[in-house]
Amino acid sequence: MRVSRIAIATGVAASTVLLLAGPAAAHVSVQPQGEAAKGGYATLNFKVPNERDQASTVKVEVNFPADHPLSSVTPEAVPGWKIDITKGKLDKPLEVHGKKITEAVSKVTWTADGSKIAPGYFQQFPVSVGQLPEDADQLVFKAIQTYDNKEVVRWIEEPTAGGEEPDSPAPVLKLSAASEDHHGGGAAAEAGEDDHKADDKASAEGDKKETHAASSSSSDTTARTLGIIGILIGVAGVAFGVLAGRRRNA
């Protein structure tokens, strides 16, 4: 009797854990690699699990927050998936690295192209983003998941402070405090900013090369001119000497 009661209690407890953990872990979520600091760059992983037993996920759409547009959104190539990036005009341009940004990514769509998320599996879709806003504590990314049986699941419900988790919660990215260098967490988080710095560096090096080339060309021209003048003076001197010698002989 006692053993039976213990077994039943254990079974009920295990079932409760499964019931609580199952739905909470099944929805589309977003997590940074390292940290996502305010004002910095980060690499985000959108984790998409398959909830169905008889269907596979063939399409994932992630909508980026319009109230806090991101100037840089670069998805990583995922084997077996085609990526489409949708951009939209900004009502208020962003200024990043001294440049005005008039449009930003509004949606990234991954469509199965030789691959699927089968039952019992999940897939991660990495995206490098930045600059993260400094005036927000979190970003909400509404996602839409499509199965090969035409079923569509909309993960678009925003959580409320102190409230229960919605049935179909949208992925939420928590932002950490701004770091001193505004780089975010780790080397992966700096990828977006490194891209911009690389472009600026390449441009600067190109200008230096052009200036050096122009200087070298000018120096070569001057040297050639002086050389020709020297040759002419030498020829004139020889001619003068020959004529002077003839006059003496005469």
Side-chain angles (χ1 to χ4, degrees):
M1 293 268 310
R2 187 177 178 182
V3 173
S4 299
R5 288 175 183 174
I6 294 174
I8 292 172
T10 304
V12 170
S15 299
T16 303
V17 171
L18 289 175
L19 289 173
L20 293 176
H27 59 75
V28 176
S29 61
V30 58
Q31 291 293 333
Q33 292 182 13
E35 67 175 355
K38 297 179 181 180
Y41 290 79
T43 296
L44 310 180
N45 282 328
F46 290 94
K47 183 179 179 180
V48 183
N50 192 325
E51 294 185 305
R52 302 295 180 259
D53 295 330
Q54 304 297 327
S56 297
T57 298
V58 293
K59 187 177 180 181
V60 177
E61 302 171 62
V62 174
N63 293 275
F64 285 72
D67 54 342
H68 292 291
L70 302 175
S71 61
S72 174
V73 176
T74 307
E76 181 179 327
V78 179
W81 294 83
K82 182 181 68 174
I83 301 175
D84 292 312
I85 299 175
T86 303
K87 294 184 177 181
K89 292 288 185 180
L90 297 177
D91 295 331
K92 183 180 179 181
L94 300 174
E95 187 169 338
V96 181
H97 300 292
K99 298 180 181 179
K100 282 190 175 182
I101 307 297
T102 59
E103 64 176 13
V105 172
S106 58
K107 181 173 66 174
V108 176
T109 303
W110 291 266
T111 305
D113 185 21
S115 181
K116 297 180 180 181
I117 306 176
Y121 290 86
F122 73 89
Q123 176 68 55
Q124 292 195 114
F125 299 94
V127 181
S128 174
V129 301
Q131 283 180 284
L132 298 171
E134 298 182 12
D135 57 349
D137 295 323
Q138 64 181 29
L139 294 177
V140 178
F141 299 86
K142 297 183 178 181
I144 300 176
Q145 182 177 10
T146 303
Y147 290 88
D148 56 8
N149 63 356
K150 308 302 181 184
E151 180 186 4
V152 176
V153 181
R154 302 178 184 277
W155 305 101
I156 61 175
E157 298 181 36
E158 297 189 29
T160 56
E164 295 182 358
E165 185 178 64
D167 292 333
S168 300
V172 177
L173 174 68
K174 301 291 185 180
L175 301 180
S176 59
S179 58
E180 293 182 359
D181 56 5
H182 278 204
H183 285 173
E190 300 176 12
E193 188 169 13
D194 288 343
D195 290 341
H196 290 292
K197 289 184 178 180
D199 292 340
D200 295 340
K201 183 178 180 181
S203 177
E205 290 180 351
D207 293 340
K208 289 181 181 179
K209 289 179 180 179
E210 290 179 3
T211 302
H212 179 71
S215 177
S216 298
S217 177
S218 177
S219 299
D220 291 343
T221 301
T222 302
R224 290 174 183 173
T225 302
L226 292 175
I228 293 173
I229 292 174
I231 292 172
L232 292 176
I233 292 174
V235 171
V238 172
F240 180 77
V242 172
L243 290 175
R246 289 180 177 178
R247 287 176 182 175
R248 291 195 192 97
N249 294 331

